[in-house]
Amino acid sequence: MEKLLLIPGPTPVSNDVLDALSEKTISHTSDEFAKIFSSALNSIKVIFGAKHSTPFIIAGSGTLGMEIALTNILDDGENLLVISHGFFGDRFVELGNALGAKIDILKSNAGDTVSFEEIRIKLKENHYSAVTITHVDTSTGVLSDVKRITEIIKEVSSDTLVVVDGVCATGGVEEKMDEWGVDVIFTGSQKAIAVPPGLTMLAFSQRAIEKRKTLKKSRTYYGDILRWIPIIEDPHRYFATPAVNMVFALEKSLEYIMNFGLDNYFEKHRSLSRKIRNAMKLLDFELLAKNSPAPTLSVFKYPEGINDVDFRGLLEKKEVVVASALGELKGHYFRMGHMGSLTEEELFVALKRIIEVLEDMGIKVNKGKTLEIFVES
Ligand code: PMP
């Protein structure tokens, strides 16, 4: 068996998508490329639910997406509210600090969510130019209720811009940017969209673009959306060379997702997460995000007596790669991604390998029942 990459990104990439990377590179201003780029932009709009917003595809990782989001809507010294469910929520604080924003943070305990009431109170206490929400925090596996939080922001402070980090969510969980009233959303290529790392995809609402136009100064050149909008309108134009072959790969994967059906793709993520969690529960692995678990990854707590490094090391020897937990959770939990092109068959094999590792460690497990639960969930 080939090594199965079950970390929460990068995720496994299909051979078709990998083949697209090795196609002959063509001119970035050719008709042929413009067609492929436009098609990918259209699919991105569908995935974000952003029919009336402006999409972007820019070479760089998810962190560039975060940076483009904030540099285009915040002037120095503006108020930013960060809703954090973990490490990647906290990253907005570092970024906001680097940009000179005045930041307030609402932070949950690991695995929990910030309550709607706390958000409402904070929004009444202070006026914020923008609020950031991490749709799925990859350190805790917590899913934010973006729809409800955005409703609250609209009720209390209708001119506050809503920024959503969809890096570990987009494609694996429904996002309806326009309908919910999100102003900026972004994701990365290497998670549920199942393309190697290297692209960030974003969408800006008209309101967010208007805000960019009012900024006193742009603090980004490459990431300035006003420089990219002409290219989005006509991809024959040039601002900075797009990652041509990465766009081929993206278009290939998006074409697959669109043909599979977006709702079916969401359902596949829900189904895989349900199956693996029910099985792991029987093996005494507790899920960290109890109240609002994401369908894209799981953060599992080790039962007493299992050493993190040993467990992951033995599993990797059996060609299954999972990730360590982050921060204070490290050593006590591990993270498993189950998104993108991953199939039920592959996840079933991973579960069998986990059972083998536990048996090798001398732990008694109910193998038959665990496998049955996976199949039947
Ligand atoms: N936000 C979230 C939710 C993420 O999971 C990640 C990456 N794991 C990032 C932002 C940063 O993305 P990248 O590592 O691609 O820069």
Side-chain angles (χ1 to χ4, degrees):
M1 183 173 107
E2 272 181 33
K3 208 163 248 189
L4 188 56
L5 198 56
L6 290 191
I7 61 175
T11 61
V13 178
S14 72
N15 287 336
D16 281 352
V17 172
L18 289 175
D19 286 348
L21 285 173
S22 61
E23 273 174 31
K24 258 208 170 353
T25 302
I26 56 174
S27 162
H28 56 294
T29 54
S30 61
D31 283 347
E32 197 183 343
F33 183 69
K35 234 167 104 185
I36 294 169
F37 195 64
S38 298
S39 172
L41 285 168
N42 279 331
S43 300
I44 288 299
K45 284 173 81 162
V46 174
I47 290 193
F48 281 144
K51 195 169 171 202
H52 304 292
S53 301
T54 304
F56 300 87
I57 299 170
I58 299 178
S61 79
T63 307
L64 178 71
M66 299 175 84
E67 195 158 308
I68 292 175
L70 293 196
T71 47
N72 279 282
I73 60 162
L74 287 181
D75 254 327
D76 198 14
E78 285 196 66
N79 289 339
L80 173 70
L81 178 62
V82 172
I83 299 171
S84 177
H85 296 141
F87 181 89
F88 290 100
D90 294 350
R91 180 166 283 198
F92 274 118
V93 176
E94 288 182 20
L95 173 59
N97 278 328
L99 298 175
K102 291 201 190 92
I103 300 167
D104 282 335
I105 177 164
L106 286 172
K107 191 171 165 62
S108 64
N109 291 326
D112 275 345
T113 50
V114 173
S115 76
F116 299 140
E117 207 36 43
E118 278 175 272
I119 296 170
R120 188 184 291 281
I121 291 168
K122 203 78 200 159
L123 288 166
K124 284 184 177 164
E125 268 173 23
N126 203 352
H127 181 265
Y128 296 97
S129 298
V131 177
T132 67
I133 310 167
T134 306
H135 199 172
V136 171
D137 201 301
T138 323
S139 66
T140 53
V142 167
L143 175 74
S144 297
D145 189 340
V146 174
K147 178 170 187 263
R148 184 73 194 110
I149 296 172
T150 305
E151 265 168 22
I152 294 169
I153 297 168
K154 305 261 168 247
E155 277 165 32
V156 183
S157 179
S158 61
D159 64 340
T160 296
L161 297 176
V162 179
V163 176
V164 174
D165 173 345
V167 173
C168 200
T170 305
V173 194
E174 183 171 69
E175 293 180 323
K176 296 198 163 190
M177 172 178 194
D178 292 346
E179 198 181 306
W180 296 348
V182 169
D183 292 286
V184 184
I185 192 164
F186 59 88
T187 191
S189 50
Q190 77 273 27
K191 308 245 180 186
I193 294 177
V195 171
L199 293 178
T200 182
M201 291 80 80
L202 310 93
F204 275 63
S205 70
Q206 200 48 44
R207 208 163 75 129
I209 294 172
E210 291 310 319
K211 178 68 195 284
R212 161 64 194 96
K213 291 180 185 164
T214 69
L215 296 187
K216 291 190 202 81
K217 184 172 171 235
S218 169
R219 282 168 297 167
T220 172
Y221 178 74
Y222 178 70
D224 184 351
I225 54 161
L226 297 186
R227 294 185 189 277
W228 285 105
I229 287 174
I231 283 75
I232 303 311
E233 286 168 355
D234 177 6
H236 293 91
R237 293 193 187 132
Y238 168 73
F239 163 52
T241 311
V244 170
N245 289 57
M246 280 298 294
V247 174
F248 291 165
L250 176 67
E251 168 57 6
K252 191 69 180 174
S253 196
L254 291 172
E255 190 185 72
Y256 169 80
I257 295 169
M258 293 300 135
N259 288 338
F260 190 82
L262 198 48
D263 285 337
N264 297 334
Y265 202 60
F266 297 147
E267 178 50 33
K268 184 184 88 157
H269 284 78
R270 277 195 297 270
S271 161
L272 292 185
S273 61
R274 187 173 59 240
K275 285 173 178 293
I276 194 67
R277 282 169 193 164
N278 287 344
M280 293 299 280
K281 196 170 169 190
L282 219 64
L283 298 173
D284 284 335
F285 284 78
E286 207 184 301
L287 190 69
L288 174 65
K290 290 195 186 57
N291 303 329
S292 186
T296 46
L297 86 151
S298 298
V299 184
F300 291 116
K301 186 169 190 206
Y302 289 111
E304 261 322 289
I306 298 187
N307 179 282
D308 173 43
V309 174
D310 291 349
F311 174 81
R312 287 187 296 108
L314 288 170
L315 198 54
E316 183 150 7
K317 284 205 178 111
K318 292 183 186 288
E319 311 295 352
V320 176
V321 187
V322 294
S324 69
L326 298 175
E328 64 188 26
L329 304 174
K330 201 177 169 86
H332 307 289
Y333 292 80
F334 79 92
R335 296 180 301 147
M336 180 195 279
H338 28 74
M339 57 187 140
S341 69
L342 185 73
T343 63
E344 183 177 327
E345 291 70 29
E346 287 169 326
L347 194 57
F348 191 56
V349 170
L351 175 64
K352 285 185 187 159
R353 300 288 180 267
I354 288 173
I355 292 173
E356 285 168 21
V357 165
L358 294 173
E359 287 175 336
D360 289 350
M361 288 175 131
I363 293 158
K364 234 178 115 41
V365 297
N366 190 338
K367 182 173 174 178
K369 183 86 189 142
T370 305
L371 296 179
E372 193 184 309
I373 283 248
F374 180 96
V375 173
E376 286 176 0
S377 289

